[in-house]
C-alpha cells in the first residue's frame, strides 16, 4: 500500500511540475491532434504530453504486472495440484508398505 501511495505522490509531483512549467510558457502554438487543430499555449501542450505519457506508461506497466500475476497464479495452482497428488500417493503407498511389512 505504501508503494502505491508513493507512486501516486510521484505522479502528483510530476503533474504539478508540468503545470508550473506550463504556466510559465504562454507562447501560443498551433497543435494538430489526430483530427482537430488547436491553438494552445506551449505549457498546455507540455501538460497534455505528460498526461498522455503517464497514461501510456501505466497501461504498459499494468499489462506487465498482469502477465506476471497470471504466471504466479498458474504456478500456485500447479503447486497445489502436485501437493495433492503427492499426498494421494503417500496415502495409497502407506497401507501397501504396512501390509508388505506385516507379511514378512
Amino acid at each position: 500500500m505504501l508503494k502505491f501511495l508513493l507512486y501516486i505522490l510521484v505522479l502528483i509531483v510530476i503533474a504539478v511540475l508540468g503545470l508550473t512549467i506550463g504556466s510559465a510558457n504562454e507562447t501560443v502554438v498551433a497543435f494538430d491532434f489526430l483530427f482537430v487543430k488547436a491553438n494552445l499555449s506551449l505549457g498546455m501542450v507540455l501538460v497534455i504530453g505528460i498526461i498522455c505519457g503517464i497514461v501510456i506508461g501505466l497501461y504498459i506497466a499494468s499489462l506487465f504486472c498482469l502477465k506476471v500475476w497470471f504466471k504466479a497464479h498458474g504456478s500456485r495452482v500447479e503447486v497445489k495440484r502436485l501437493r495433492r497428488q503427492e499426498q494421494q500417493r503417500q496415502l495409497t503407498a502407506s497401507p501397501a508398505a504396512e501390509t508388505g511389512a506385516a507379511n514378512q
Side-chain angles (χ1 to χ4, degrees):
M1 184 68 178
L2 183 64
K3 193 176 191 182
F4 177 74
L5 292 176
L6 182 64
Y7 285 138
I8 296 297
L9 180 67
V10 168
L11 289 176
I12 290 171
V13 167
I14 289 173
V16 168
L17 184 65
L19 288 172
T20 304
I21 292 171
S23 66
N25 293 317
E26 293 296 325
T27 306
V28 176
V29 295
F31 190 71
D32 192 11
F33 293 106
L34 292 174
F35 50 86
V36 176
K37 283 188 177 184
N39 291 327
L40 300 172
S41 69
L42 189 58
M44 185 60 77
V45 173
L46 178 69
V47 169
I48 291 171
I50 288 173
I51 291 172
C52 288
I54 289 171
V55 168
I56 290 170
L58 288 174
Y59 177 72
I60 291 171
S62 65
L63 287 178
F64 284 123
C65 288
L66 281 174
K67 181 180 174 183
V68 169
W69 185 83
F70 281 128
K71 280 185 178 180
H73 181 71
S75 297
R76 278 188 235 125
V77 169
E78 183 70 17
V79 166
K80 284 181 183 179
R81 186 182 64 79
L82 290 172
R83 283 183 182 163
R84 273 190 245 122
Q85 284 180 353
E86 184 63 28
Q87 287 175 352
Q88 289 296 328
R89 272 192 234 141
Q90 288 176 355
L91 289 175
T92 57
S94 294
E98 291 173 6
T99 58
N103 289 337
Q104 292 177 356

